[in-house]
Amino acid sequence: PVLHDTAAYSVCEGDSLSYEWFVTPLGDLIQNNLVTDDLTTPFPSICVDTAGVLNVVLEITNSYGCAQTTSNVPFTVRGLPVPELTFEQPSICLPTTVSILNSSSGAADFSMSIPGYPTYENFLSPLELDVEFPGYYNAEFTVSNIHIIDGHELTCSVDTEYVNAFEGRTPPVAEFAVLPDTLIEFVNPVVEFVNLSEGQIENIWSFGNGEGSGELDPEVEYEAAGFYNAQLQVVNEYGCTDVYSQEIEVYTDLYIYVPTAFTPDNDGLNDAWLPSIIGQDVIATYECSVFTRSGDRVFYTTDPNEAWIGGNDLSGEGVHYSSGGEVFAWRILIKKKDGQGAKTYTGQVTMIR
């Protein structure tokens, strides 16, 4: 038999070597239990997994016992490029972005395709993508290099799929209503918050007065007039958040209740006379005077929390006594802060002994 082999072969790492030997003369040739009846005989493939030079020698024996061995046939195995992508996200909560870093080695060309996005060829790294829709995203990435051998082009490529490479999740929506209104009177400073949020598993309330709650629909009583920034932060199962806030104004006006009688007999019941004032925080100045029927002033204070216990505090004549009831006149003068005006209140009080 006569063997004709080619001078050299080049393949990529991981490829299968598929080659043909040309044999003459015609006849039945036996090689590794394979019977060939043709001039061109394909032999089984050899898988090559290491870059470098591989030499192949083939011996053929015909039916007459004649044998011939080929010379070394060199196969040059070219190394494959190594694909490597890294996907970095500052957040998975929409809208968000993903930064794709390409650190592949040995690649002259690369291509990436992601459903919903165009195909990116030889892109600059890092590649920034906007993520606008929820779900997981897979990426198919192909890297290749090209070798020119004896005027022929050999392309070695590797395909890689990144499953769940990055993701986007819809954040919850925070919203609430305030009952009875965002403007409430200090006389009844109770506010009910109605949670209108969607998609959350956690509610974080801040009422602007240093207090908070994790309830769904909390109720709060404000203890002073003023402006309060009520805020609700909601969190879903993916850790995505949303914030909603409203300003609540608790306003106050002067509400004065003045007792019409008291009994200063030291029995612990109604022993002092003290006007009850709601809205003291708007008071700039306060003057309260008590007079006898003849017009003598027996009590005076500028402290709205100071009570009169029935004594003649100004003349020093001691406690007023009466066999039945004695009637006194009172006058309260209040000036409000910030030029909101002034008002005088008058009336009578009976001291009962």
Side-chain angles (χ1 to χ4, degrees):
V2 179
L3 301 179
H4 301 277
D5 59 71
T6 58
Y9 297 86
S10 287
V11 296
C12 300
E13 179 184 346
D15 282 354
S16 294
L17 300 180
S18 181
Y19 49 90
E20 293 179 341
W21 297 105
F22 301 91
V23 183
T24 58
L26 294 176
D28 292 335
L29 304 179
I30 301 175
Q31 170 63 30
N32 292 337
N33 297 322
L34 293 178
V35 178
T36 60
D37 297 313
D38 200 342
L39 289 175
T40 59
T41 305
F43 277 74
S45 298
I46 302 173
C47 183
V48 182
D49 58 6
T50 304
V53 177
L54 174 66
N55 292 309
V56 177
V57 177
L58 179 64
E59 181 181 86
I60 295 180
T61 303
N62 64 13
S63 58
Y64 303 105
C66 300
Q68 186 172 353
T69 301
T70 67
S71 59
N72 288 342
V73 179
F75 288 88
T76 302
V77 182
R78 307 292 178 176
L80 291 174
V82 179
E84 185 172 354
L85 292 180
T86 303
F87 299 83
E88 296 181 352
Q89 287 186 268
S91 171
I92 65 172
C93 305
L94 299 176
T96 185
T97 60
V98 58
S99 180
I100 304 175
L101 288 78
N102 183 6
S103 54
S104 304
S105 59
D109 298 287
F110 41 86
S111 173
M112 180 181 65
S113 60
I114 302 172
Y117 294 88
T119 299
Y120 298 95
E121 304 281 353
N122 297 331
F123 54 88
L124 296 177
S125 179
L127 174 65
E128 300 288 340
L129 298 182
D130 293 326
V131 184
E132 300 178 354
F133 301 99
Y136 286 106
Y137 291 80
N138 299 336
E140 294 183 355
F141 187 51
T142 300
V143 293
S144 60
N145 54 28
I146 299 175
H147 303 279
I148 305 299
I149 303 166
D150 296 332
H152 299 285
E153 184 177 284
L154 174 67
T155 301
C156 296
S157 61
V158 177
D159 297 324
T160 303
E161 182 179 13
Y162 292 86
V163 179
N164 298 340
F166 58 95
E167 62 181 304
R169 295 300 171 186
T170 302
V173 178
E175 187 179 0
F176 63 85
V178 179
L179 298 178
D181 198 354
T182 55
L183 179 64
I184 60 173
E185 197 171 2
F186 185 68
V187 176
N188 184 27
V190 177
V191 174
E192 180 183 353
F193 293 93
V194 180
N195 198 332
L196 304 176
S197 305
E198 297 180 356
Q200 82 277 19
I201 61 172
E202 183 179 4
N203 304 284
I204 305 173
W205 291 92
S206 174
F207 305 121
N209 61 350
E211 299 180 2
S213 173
E215 298 179 6
L216 180 64
D217 300 308
E219 187 177 277
V220 179
E221 181 175 358
Y222 289 96
E223 298 180 353
F227 292 89
Y228 299 89
N229 184 39
Q231 177 178 284
L232 170 61
Q233 181 184 45
V234 293
V235 186
N236 68 7
E237 58 185 310
Y238 303 105
C240 301
T241 62
D242 190 30
V243 176
Y244 181 79
S245 62
Q246 290 193 58
E247 186 177 71
I248 296 175
E249 180 184 356
V250 180
Y251 75 93
T252 183
D253 203 350
L254 287 175
Y255 296 90
I256 298 179
Y257 168 74
V258 182
T260 58
F262 72 114
T263 57
D265 52 9
N266 296 321
D267 65 352
L269 299 174
N270 200 25
D271 287 329
W273 177 80
L274 177 65
S276 177
I277 302 176
I278 296 177
Q280 291 190 23
D281 54 328
V282 302
I283 296 177
T285 61
Y286 171 87
E287 295 182 49
C288 177
S289 301
V290 179
F291 304 90
T292 64
R293 290 183 178 181
S294 59
D296 296 325
R297 187 163 65 177
V298 295
F299 176 73
Y300 175 79
T301 183
T302 58
D303 182 0
N305 296 309
E306 182 181 356
W308 180 46
I309 59 174
N312 188 343
D313 299 334
L314 299 182
S315 65
E317 296 178 358
V319 177
H320 286 266
Y321 296 97
S322 64
S323 57
E326 187 170 350
V327 178
F328 296 83
W330 57 264
R331 182 182 65 201
I332 297 175
L333 175 62
I334 294 178
K335 291 183 179 180
K336 297 181 182 180
K337 295 178 180 178
D338 302 323
Q340 298 182 45
K343 190 171 183 179
T344 300
Y345 304 84
T346 59
Q348 293 182 335
V349 57
T350 301
M351 181 173 61
I352 302 174
R353 294 288 185 181

